[in-house]
Amino acid sequence: MVTNNLTDIILEFHGRFSCFENSVVKKSGLTQAQSEILNIVSQSGTIKMKDIAEKRKISKCTLTVSIKRLEKKGFLKRVPLEKDKRVSLIQLTEKGARHLDMHHDAYRGWTRDVSSVLSTEEQELFYHLHKKMLRFE
């Protein structure tokens, strides 16, 4: 019974978050996949394409198309490795960083709105429980 109720709540929360996220991404002119790539690069600082592909669980060929489009739009740049010019590190550009800042501001606003119904103690509990649940894979 508890598992079914928890599943229902998680699915409803996910659905609402997905709607919000889709509206934010749509306004940006990027795809969901491109937005996720920017976030991965942002978290890593610089990262190899093969590492992005592994994190997204996609082929390097599929990733190359998205990287080229993000590069063309000015969000990312490739920096060849000194040791091996065949390998490039992917970095955010200033434009990419500004774009993510705007996205993160929207997410923070959504989080403030959603969590406004919770007391400070409930917000702390929510945070710790979700952090614990994210360790599960």
Side-chain angles (χ1 to χ4, degrees):
M1 178 70 156
V2 171
T3 302
N4 289 339
N5 291 340
L6 187 56
T7 299
D8 292 344
I9 291 296
I10 289 171
L11 288 172
E12 184 175 345
F13 192 86
H14 174 72
R16 289 182 185 192
F17 182 76
S18 291
C19 287
F20 164 76
E21 189 172 36
N22 289 337
S23 71
V24 171
V25 171
K26 190 175 186 178
K27 289 176 192 171
S28 74
L30 298 178
T31 66
Q32 185 68 36
Q34 290 170 335
S35 185
E36 289 172 16
I37 290 167
L38 288 180
N39 275 310
I40 290 169
V41 174
S42 173
Q43 291 168 1
S44 303
T46 58
I47 186 169
K48 293 179 184 175
M49 283 187 52
K50 79 173 187 66
D51 295 331
I52 299 171
E54 286 173 8
K55 285 183 182 221
R56 294 227 47 250
K57 296 177 177 47
I58 59 173
S59 73
K60 197 171 169 195
C61 292
T62 301
L63 177 64
T64 298
V65 173
S66 292
I67 294 292
K68 283 182 179 178
R69 288 182 180 153
L70 287 165
E71 206 174 10
K72 188 175 180 179
K73 291 180 181 192
F75 291 109
L76 296 177
K77 66 179 177 181
R78 296 178 205 226
V79 180
L81 272 180
E82 287 297 318
K83 294 182 255 178
D84 185 353
K85 299 289 186 197
R86 296 170 300 166
V87 178
S88 292
L89 293 175
I90 308 299
Q91 293 180 333
L92 274 183
T93 61
E94 222 174 282
K95 181 179 178 179
R98 281 194 313 269
H99 175 80
L100 278 179
D101 284 344
M102 289 187 314
H103 267 239
H104 292 168
D105 285 346
Y107 287 107
R108 281 187 285 275
W110 186 83
T111 301
R112 253 190 319 278
D113 292 346
V114 169
S115 64
S116 67
V117 298
L118 302 175
S119 68
T120 303
E121 294 80 20
E122 289 170 327
Q123 288 179 28
E124 293 273 333
L125 180 60
F126 182 85
Y127 171 80
H128 291 292
L129 290 173
H130 280 79
K131 195 167 182 172
K132 187 175 186 176
M133 289 171 69
L134 287 173
R135 287 193 295 250
F136 172 79
E137 287 197 31

